[in-house]
Amino acid sequence: MIPYACHEGTVGALIWPGSCPCAGMAFRGSTNDGVFSAAMKKNSWRFLSVRSVFAVLACMVVLAAQAWAPSTDAAALPSIALAELPVEARMTLDLIRRGGPFPYRRDGVVFQNRESRLPARQKGYYREYTVPTPGSRDRGARRIVSGARNEYYYSADHYRSFQRIKP
């Protein structure tokens, strides 16, 4: 946005250089002439500064709200019984409990819980494992995430939702 003062003395901010809200009349303070009128310096910059302060404050409020938002509680997540899991998920869970070997290179990497869909824990607490999807040419969307305290979560939709696996 570019501050301006038009031929009528109107002060504000333009989105495109060379455009005047007063039916296209010429104005002082374009980016081409480098001259700013006294009115523009006095009023327009103050207006832009106030807007900037409010924009920064709004961003800070949003970020603070995200930081203080309550994390997901494990008890609030839906659960699934071991017998209800797909056969491939039960086989993956068995491999996790035995410590491998795992069929996929990314099995066992740290799951960062960026979307906060699992209870908040320190970095490195969660690990992710692939649940093979029959007919898929890649790893597919199904995963099991394990916690350091031997809790397990199943996701059939690539982390969009989780179910806590009941023992």
Side-chain angles (χ1 to χ4, degrees):
M1 295 179 62
I2 300 168
Y4 76 93
C6 75
H7 68 287
E8 294 178 351
T10 305
V11 177
L14 297 176
I15 296 174
W16 290 283
S19 62
C20 178
C22 301
M25 302 299 287
F27 63 92
R28 297 181 308 273
S30 72
T31 56
N32 296 333
D33 64 17
V35 177
F36 296 106
S37 69
M40 181 177 62
K41 286 181 183 176
K42 181 179 177 186
N43 297 323
S44 180
W45 289 111
R46 185 180 309 145
F47 174 73
L48 290 174
S49 296
V50 170
R51 284 183 76 184
S52 299
V53 168
F54 280 116
V56 169
L57 288 174
C59 289
M60 290 174 63
V61 167
V62 169
L63 291 174
Q66 290 175 349
W68 289 97
S71 63
T72 304
D73 183 19
L77 290 171
S79 59
I80 186 168
L82 187 61
E84 296 174 25
L85 286 171
V87 173
E88 299 83 9
R90 286 181 284 192
M91 291 170 48
T92 301
L93 193 56
D94 187 48
L95 282 177
I96 295 168
R97 290 178 174 156
R98 289 187 305 171
F102 301 106
Y104 297 94
R105 185 175 54 86
R106 303 251 331 135
D107 283 346
V109 299
V110 172
F111 176 71
Q112 296 183 9
N113 195 25
R114 287 188 190 115
E115 294 83 12
S116 299
R117 293 201 171 101
L118 295 178
R121 301 287 187 262
Q122 72 275 11
K123 185 178 178 179
Y125 182 86
Y126 294 113
R127 302 281 174 174
E128 66 176 86
Y129 301 89
T130 304
V131 175
T133 304
S136 179
R137 299 162 102 194
D138 58 10
R139 292 173 60 205
R142 303 187 303 178
R143 300 286 188 274
I144 290 180
V145 173
S146 68
R149 295 187 196 135
N150 295 323
E151 71 267 28
Y152 302 98
Y153 303 91
Y154 175 68
S155 175
D157 53 13
H158 202 260
Y159 314 121
R160 282 195 289 267
S161 65
F162 286 96
Q163 295 172 296
R164 185 176 176 124
I165 301 173
K166 291 189 280 188

